[in-house]
Structure formats: C-alpha cells, structure tokens
Amino acid sequence: MFDGYTSSELMSIFAMQGFAGLSLFSVFVLMALGLAIIFGQMGVINMAHGEFMILGAYTTYLTSGFFQLYLPGLFGGYFFVAMILAFLICSALGALVEWLMIRHLYHRPLDTLLATWGLSLIMQQAYRSIFGAREVGVDLPEWMMGAFSVTDLVELPINGLFVMIIALSTAVAVYLLMYRSGYGKKVRAVVQNRPMAEAVGVNSAGIDRATFALGSGIAGIAGAAFTMIGSTGPSSGQAYIVDTFLVVVFGGAQSLIGTIVSAFGISQAQSTMEFFLSGSMAKVLTLLVVVGILMLRPEGLMALKVRR
Amino acid sequence: MLSVKHHSVAYGQSTIIEDLNLDVGKNEIVAVVGRNGMGKTTLMKSLVGMTPSKSGEVSLDGIDLSNLKSFQRVRAGVGFVPQGRMIFPTLTVRENIETGLAAVGEKKVPEDLYKLFPVLKEMQNRRGGNLSGGQQQQLAIARALATRPKVLLLDEPTEGIQPNIIKDIARTLRRIRDERGLSILVSEQVLSFVMDAADRILVIEKGVIVHEENREEADQDKIASYLAV
Ligand SMILES: Nc1ncnc2c1ncn2[C@@H]1O[C@H](COP(=O)(O)OP(=O)(O)OP(=O)(O)O)[C@@H](O)[C@H]1O
Ligand SMILES: [Mg+2]
C-alpha cells in the first residue's frame, strides 16, 4: 500500500496523520474517561454517553454565539467559559438521569443498556428539534487558528494541540481526584467491594450519583473539545460511542493509564491506516488486532495485579 | 447496649435465623459459637444491615437500627469485621483505614490505632492485598475501629490464622474493650479462643440460641460437644 510515495513523503504522511490521530486521541481520551469511570464503578454502560458529549458541543456552540453577539471583545476566551458550562450542564443532567432512571436499574444491566439507549434517541430528537438537523460549527478565536510548520511538508494545527492539552489536563485531574481525594478513595472502595464499603460507612448510592455526574461532565468537556476539530450535528455522538467502548474495553476498565494508552493506540492506528486504506478497512484491521490482544489478555491491556 | 429482639432472617423461602433474642451489655464481650452453616455469618451480616432482616428489632443504646441501611448503622455506632476480612486489596493500608474514618468525618489516622497495631504503621503504604492473613485481620479490625463504634461485630476472626497468633487476637480484643469501653459480639468455632476472650458464651444451632453460659462457670465439655461434628 505504500507504492508510489517517496520515503520523505511517507515520513510526512505518518507525521501529519499521526497528528490528526492525536486530535482523535484527545476526544477518545475524554470520552473514554467518562465512560470508564461510570462503567468501572457501577457496571453501567451508558449508551447515551455520546449524546452527553454532543450536549457539551451544543453548549459550546451557544456560548460562542453569545460571546460573538454580546461580548465580542472577550471572544478569545469564550472557550474556557464554554468548557466549564459544558461540564456543569452535563454533570447536572447526569445526576438527574442517575436519580430518575439509572439507580432503579442497577441490578438489571440489560435494562440499563436499553434505557440509556432510549435516552440517547430522545436526546438526539431533542437536538434535532432545537438546533435543526444541519451540522453547526463554532468560529475559532484568532489565536487558535493557524499552524506550526515543523518542516515544509509537516504542519501541526494549533487547535489540535490545544485540544490535546485539554484532554491530558483532564486526565491528570481525574487521576488526582481518584488517587488523592477522599471521594476517590470511596470510589475505589466501592469498586472493589460495594457491600463492604457500605459496612465501613460509605454511602455508596451517593458515590454512584457523584460518579455518574462526573462521568457525564467529562463527556461535556469532550464535546467542547470536539467543536474545536469538527462540526456538531444531532447524531454526531453516535460515530464516537462504538470506538469509545473499544478504547475502554481494550484498556481495561479499571485502569486510567490503560485507557490512555489504548486511546492512543487505537486513534493512531485508525488515522494512519485511513490514509492508505478505506475508513472501514482501517476499522476492521483495528478491531481484529484489539480482539486478538483481548483474547490473550481478557482483563484489558493494563489490569492491576494483586492478591485478592 | 446492643439489643436484638425476635430477629428473623431468611434467604428467599429458607429461614436461617428464627426469632433470635440477644443482648450485649456495655463493656461486655459476647461470643456466639456454632458449627459451619449454623447461621453465624447470616446473623452478623443482618445486624450490620448487609443482609435484610425478615422481622424483629435491632437497637443500639435505645436507637432503633431496623430501618437503617448498613452505612447508616455504621455511622450510628456498629463496627463490622467480616469473615474473610474483606479488606480492599488495591487500597493501601492507610487508605483502608481512612475509608472507615470517613464515616465519622475524620481524615487523619489516629495514633492510638497505630499503637494498637504497630505493624500497620510500618506497612501503611503497602497495598492491603499484599499483607499476610494475620496482618489483614489487624487491618480489618483497625478499619472497623476507625468508625468509632459503640459495638464491634467480628465474624470468625481466627479463621485461617496461625494458632500462635490466635491468642494475640483474643488479647487484642480484651485490650480494645478495656481501652475504648466498647462492647464486642464475636462469632467463633475455636473454643480456646472463646475461653480467652469472652465474658459470656452463646451457642447457636440452626439459627437458634440453644445454650448460654458465663465464661467463669462455663462447662467446656458441654460447649465442645455442640461444636463437635
Ligand atoms: N446468600 C445465601 N443464599 C442462600 N442461603 C445462604 C446464603 N448464605 C448462607 N446461606 C445458608 O445459610 C446457612 C447459614 O450460613 P452462614 O454462612 O450464616 O453460616 P456460618 O455459621 O457463618 O458458617 P461458617 O462457619 O461456615 O462461616 C447455611 O445453610 C447456608 O447454606
Ligand atoms: Mg460464617
């Protein structure tokens, strides 16, 4: 498949596609973080996770519109406001959904799958009614446009770099929350042994709500980041949800580092191969490799080893 | 202190604990002995609320616990050390203790806990899962004590522990009781441990208390006959 390219051209292609892969990687990391902490703690697969991301994207879209109209002088900073709003709105909705729906279904995983899938359809329809079926995009502030030229052939867009910084900072924040805070300790205790955590005084239902809100909020941040590299439509979330599942399962649901490594591997593989093969062929190859590795390591790439 | 009245517990159709009554006085150590499968674990779990009760009443210092969830019972003063210890294996020793502290809104592991179990201080940054059985047992007790209980429930604390350490556990329980003035309810099969640790001994058989004696006048042969298979 490499016929007809000179070796220096090949190098640049790898570099640029690799970088395109990094933007994808950033969105994967953010999506997978949210999905993985919810799945890791409650065993709930949130089929509407992609729609939470899109909610974050629409929030960003509205915020950018608001700044353009009323605060054009501050337009350069709208994204930071949008990101915080996206997080807050999505986590509030997440807490509400957990309280109304999820908590009644904890012992029925199949029903949770159906219920959250139903929720995803409702949310998509709501977006369609409110924002219309056409995709919307945001205007990037001045400082995010343009690119660093590394060589004549290789250019790295600033918005992509920026999205990556957001993704990695969020991952670090989640790490600190999980491993350095009282909340994180309770989460880990509940994940390991829920009835026992209750029997040392942990209110596991409260922890569940907080975690669902946190996971949904991170999906909101993913949505905000997503607007920097693509445009948003009512069903844009669907395109990401399957890949995100793949990232989570591949990385091992309990491992933060595993999630990041797996997001990196999958996004790089897809983006590099997509240049040479068709998109669906790239997906098939990625999937084959993932399935192969999972057969050797069923717990995922980086399962933690201790005596139980 | 702890008062249990007309307490019944069932798994589906099969009733395991039937109309059980018991009281643990202030500062008292009560042992419940019985063979495998007689309902000791079921009793303990139902007292801390991990297993729902069918009927009856459980109260602590006059406070009715019957309708509380287990984390609320813990906050009301019930400490629990389960059979098999069930420490959190990937949490460090210190974090394990801190999960208990959170129940009473404290952050820092109190020195007196480390004084009681010096080995836990040495190992505070190790993962709980990498401790030996005896060390895990100490950790499980420390974690329960961190919730500042009024009554401590222990389910077969000597199971899987080396015989030479069993005496230490009995001594520790008496020391905890003397220093902290709490009450202890412990289930057991090892008679020598019970004779070392308890003030009063109850024999449970098929979920019913069939025999009761104070330790001083206890007839060891009789109790042993209940434990014989
Ligand atoms: N989750 C459960 N569902 C149904 N029956 C159960 C369950 N747990 C225990 N039992 C049954 O209840 C009875 C009492 O069990 P329990 O574990 O309370 O006994 P035990 O005295 O603690 O025994 P051991 O000394 O082996 O720990 C047994 O007949 C057991 O089979
Ligand atoms: Mg038992």
Side-chain angles (χ1 to χ4, degrees):
Chain A
M1 60 186 189
F2 301 137
D3 300 345
Y5 297 102
T6 70
S7 66
S8 80
E9 270 172 349
L10 270 180
M11 283 309 292
S12 335
I13 290 168
F14 277 120
M16 307 252 306
Q17 286 304 113
F19 193 79
L22 283 182
S23 305
L24 191 62
F25 160 72
S26 311
V27 176
F28 276 175
V29 165
L30 288 168
M31 284 286 280
L33 276 177
L35 201 68
I37 59 179
I38 290 174
F39 179 73
Q41 185 186 321
M42 301 171 239
V44 167
I45 294 180
N46 180 13
M47 296 291 284
H49 200 70
E51 279 62 41
F52 276 94
M53 166 174 122
I54 295 309
L55 180 62
Y58 278 124
T59 304
T60 309
Y61 165 71
L62 292 179
T63 312
S64 88
F66 180 86
F67 269 73
Q68 257 166 347
L69 267 182
Y70 301 104
L71 301 164
L74 297 174
F75 189 72
Y78 86 85
F79 183 77
F80 298 97
V81 178
M83 200 169 76
I84 292 167
L85 280 179
F87 178 83
L88 292 179
I89 290 174
C90 288
S91 53
L93 184 70
L96 185 70
V97 165
E98 201 275 348
W99 182 70
L100 277 176
M101 194 166 94
I102 309 285
R103 74 185 166 123
H104 304 292
L105 300 173
Y106 279 129
H107 303 291
R108 291 143 64 182
L110 224 51
D111 294 359
T112 329
L113 221 56
L114 269 180
T116 53
W117 183 60
L119 177 67
S120 82
L121 296 181
I122 293 172
M123 288 171 79
Q124 282 178 47
Q125 189 50 49
Y127 299 150
R128 211 163 281 129
S129 313
I130 299 170
F131 299 101
R134 283 205 19 234
E135 297 202 336
V136 298
V138 301
D139 290 328
L140 293 181
E142 197 93 16
W143 60 271
M144 251 194 249
M145 295 194 237
F148 293 119
S149 341
V150 183
T151 68
D152 290 349
L153 287 171
V154 180
E155 292 200 324
L156 304 184
I158 292 175
N159 59 344
L161 276 174
F162 180 70
V163 165
M164 205 168 81
I165 291 169
I166 292 172
L168 293 179
S169 329
T170 309
V172 170
V174 168
Y175 175 86
L176 291 177
L177 200 57
M178 287 298 166
Y179 290 92
R180 295 284 181 275
S181 79
Y183 159 77
K185 199 158 38 213
K186 290 179 192 166
V187 168
R188 286 179 291 143
V190 170
V191 167
Q192 285 178 42
N193 191 333
R194 179 177 290 265
M196 195 56 232
E198 282 257 323
V200 292
V202 176
N203 176 2
S204 71
I207 296 289
D208 284 348
R209 186 140 333 125
T211 300
F212 205 90
L214 177 67
S216 307
I218 296 172
I221 296 182
F226 178 69
T227 60
M228 299 289 105
I229 55 176
S231 50
T232 308
S235 45
S236 306
Q238 293 290 304
Y240 283 86
I241 191 76
V242 174
D243 287 338
T244 306
F245 285 142
L246 208 62
V247 167
V248 171
V249 174
F250 187 48
Q254 318 258 346
S255 160
L256 206 61
I257 304 288
T259 302
I260 291 171
V261 172
S262 129
F264 184 79
I266 290 177
S267 59
Q268 286 300 313
Q270 285 204 6
S271 140
T272 314
M273 283 190 295
E274 257 172 34
F275 191 86
F276 299 105
L277 309 164
S278 73
S280 47
M281 198 59 203
K283 277 235 159 65
V284 169
L285 275 181
T286 316
L287 207 59
L288 277 179
V289 174
V290 168
V291 168
I293 293 181
L294 281 180
M295 282 166 94
L296 300 174
R297 297 184 62 97
E299 304 229 314
L301 267 185
M302 308 229 170
L304 203 53
K305 283 196 199 68
V306 282
R307 256 195 291 167
R308 279 178 196 265
Chain B
M1 264 317 265
L2 181 71
S3 151
V4 181
K5 292 198 176 70
H6 306 298
H7 186 62
S8 300
V9 185
Y11 295 114
Q13 291 297 311
S14 63
T15 301
I16 306 295
I17 305 283
E18 181 109 59
D19 195 26
L20 183 141
N21 295 285
L22 71 82
D23 277 286
V24 183
K26 190 157 177 52
N27 252 336
E28 192 183 24
I29 302 183
V30 176
V32 175
V33 302
R35 278 180 284 134
N36 292 113
M38 287 305 175
K40 301 183 295 297
T41 298
T42 306
L43 173 63
M44 292 294 189
K45 281 189 169 174
S46 65
L47 292 182
V48 74
M50 278 171 109
T51 301
S53 323
K54 200 170 79 178
S55 58
E57 191 180 296
V58 180
S59 64
L60 181 61
D61 268 347
I63 299 165
D64 184 13
L65 302 180
S66 311
N67 296 317
L68 298 187
K69 295 194 178 132
S70 66
F71 79 92
Q72 293 165 322
R73 292 186 192 210
V74 172
R75 291 175 188 185
V78 180
F80 182 52
V81 180
Q83 185 169 12
R85 306 176 270 278
M86 297 201 193
I87 49 117
F88 304 114
T90 69
L91 267 61
T92 65
V93 167
R94 192 179 46 224
E95 287 173 333
N96 264 280
I97 301 175
E98 285 167 348
T99 54
L101 284 179
V104 286
E106 290 177 39
K107 289 231 158 67
K108 200 174 170 314
V109 180
E111 266 316 301
D112 57 344
L113 272 185
Y114 281 143
K115 222 163 90 200
L116 201 55
F117 304 111
V119 67
L120 296 183
K121 181 160 193 175
E122 271 166 51
M123 304 214 161
Q124 54 176 307
N125 293 318
R126 295 254 207 118
R127 285 190 200 284
N130 296 335
L131 265 51
S132 74
Q135 291 162 346
Q136 289 191 0
Q137 186 60 267
Q138 298 183 32
L139 177 55
I141 296 174
R143 180 180 64 181
L145 288 178
T147 67
R148 303 230 175 265
K150 295 177 186 151
V151 59
L152 184 63
L153 311 177
L154 298 101
D155 193 5
E156 293 205 41
T158 66
E159 190 193 39
I161 302 287
Q162 296 166 17
N164 57 336
I165 303 182
I166 290 183
K167 265 206 161 3
D168 290 343
I169 297 182
R171 207 173 309 124
T172 307
L173 289 192
R174 298 194 77 88
R175 182 172 162 200
I176 291 170
R177 184 268 306 270
D178 296 339
E179 285 177 3
R180 297 170 177 250
L182 44 67
S183 313
I184 297 178
L185 179 66
V186 54
S187 82
E188 258 311 330
Q189 298 199 45
V190 177
L191 189 54
S192 66
F193 173 84
V194 170
M195 296 308 290
D196 278 345
D199 303 321
R200 194 148 56 88
I201 301 166
L202 311 176
V203 179
I204 188 172
E205 207 145 78
K206 304 219 172 96
V208 178
I209 306 272
V210 293
H211 184 72
E212 174 173 353
E213 268 182 311
N214 285 330
R215 200 256 328 264
E216 285 91 21
E217 58 259 20
D219 177 352
Q220 285 203 45
D221 294 336
K222 180 150 188 213
I223 298 174
S225 74
Y226 281 111
L227 286 171
V229 187

